Amino acid sequence: MASVYILFSQKLDRFYIGFTTEQVNLRLERHLTNYYENKFTAKASDWMLFLLIECGSADQARVIEKNIKKMKSRKYIENLKRYPEIIEKL
């Protein structure tokens, strides 16, 4: 099973979009504990899970992650949570 996850940091007032084939709570813990030092998520320690999208495969998760990142839109990310039917179209 693979997932696309979107994290939010209040400190940075920014979103982070990623995908994983691991458990999302493990991945979040790594982001919170600076496991990925010198990466974007190391700039804050208050990341919280904003949205989780379960995918059927790693390939599907990569495509969805890339699509969301390509939009470069905070409003789009917020609308993904507000209108779950958008996720079905991804």
Side-chain angles (χ1 to χ4, degrees):
M1 187 58 99
S3 303
V4 174
Y5 60 95
I6 301 175
L7 305 179
F8 180 74
S9 166
Q10 195 140 23
K11 175 185 173 189
L12 300 176
D13 194 30
R14 298 277 307 268
F15 288 100
Y16 173 81
I17 302 127
F19 91 94
T20 186
T21 55
E22 303 173 329
Q23 292 181 358
V24 174
N25 59 349
L26 173 62
R27 189 64 153 226
L28 177 58
E29 182 65 28
R30 288 181 177 169
H31 286 296
L32 291 171
T33 58
N34 249 356
Y35 178 85
Y36 303 106
E37 61 183 275
N38 299 321
K39 301 291 183 186
F40 175 74
T41 56
K43 295 179 181 182
S45 60
D46 68 337
W47 294 104
M48 54 187 266
L49 186 62
F50 179 79
L51 183 65
L52 177 65
I53 303 169
E54 298 289 344
C55 303
S57 68
D59 288 339
Q60 180 188 25
R62 280 188 203 98
V63 168
I64 291 172
E65 176 199 30
K66 187 175 181 179
N67 182 289
I68 295 169
K69 286 181 174 181
K70 180 178 71 173
M71 297 303 283
K72 295 186 179 197
S73 170
R74 179 185 192 102
K75 191 67 170 173
Y76 180 73
I77 292 170
E78 291 169 348
N79 282 338
L80 286 174
K81 188 169 186 174
R82 188 173 299 136
Y83 306 108
E85 59 272 13
I86 296 173
I87 294 170
E88 295 171 17
K89 296 177 182 178
L90 293 173

